Structure formats: C-alpha cells, structure tokens
Amino acid sequence: MKVQKKIEDIKFTPMTIFGEEMEVSENIVMASAAGWYVGSICKEDDGFIQPYDRYTDYFATPEEASKFLEVV
C-alpha cells in the first residue's frame, strides 16, 4: 500500500466498527499493485495502519486519482 500523503498530515476520525475502536482517515489517494485509487486507511488501537476501504476504480496515475478526489 502506498499513500500519496504523509501519515502525520492525514486527518483521522475515531469510530467504533463491529465493536472495535479504530480511527479511519479522510479520503486519500492510495496505490496498490493494481493502480492508484481514492480510499481510506485505518489506525487501530496498537497504532497499526492498514487499508480500510477503496471508494473508486483504479486510475493509471496518482494525478488522475487526485483530480477525482478534488471533484468529490
């Protein structure tokens, strides 16, 4: 997982999901082996960060994903 923004600059919101406390990020540009996309990450109680959800299809470049993020 690649994230276009520095972790310390990402805004997180505390949430309870299925009884588990975690923090979920704002929408951000991310990448996987399949390409770039808009999604979010979560930070668990122990500080572990992992992908949370993908909200778009894949884009060929981070610029395309960033343009989409600006529109929504």
Side-chain angles (χ1 to χ4, degrees):
M1 166 189 78
K2 221 183 220 185
V3 178
Q4 191 71 5
K5 211 173 187 182
K6 290 181 182 179
I7 297 295
E8 57 270 10
D9 293 338
I10 297 173
K11 293 181 178 96
F12 286 88
T13 302
M15 301 179 88
T16 302
I17 301 168
F18 299 116
E20 185 179 339
E21 297 289 325
M22 66 176 66
E23 296 182 50
V24 178
S25 75
E26 63 186 307
N27 294 348
I28 54 176
V29 175
M30 303 169 60
S32 70
W36 292 90
Y37 61 95
V38 175
S40 60
I41 56 178
C42 66
K43 187 178 355 175
E44 297 179 359
D45 285 340
D46 60 3
F48 183 72
I49 294 176
Q50 63 183 351
Y52 177 71
D53 206 348
R54 178 173 57 86
Y55 305 122
T56 65
D57 288 331
Y58 293 103
F59 297 95
T61 67
E63 292 79 20
E64 289 175 333
S66 292
K67 281 183 187 177
F68 183 87
L69 184 57
E70 290 172 10
V71 174
V72 271

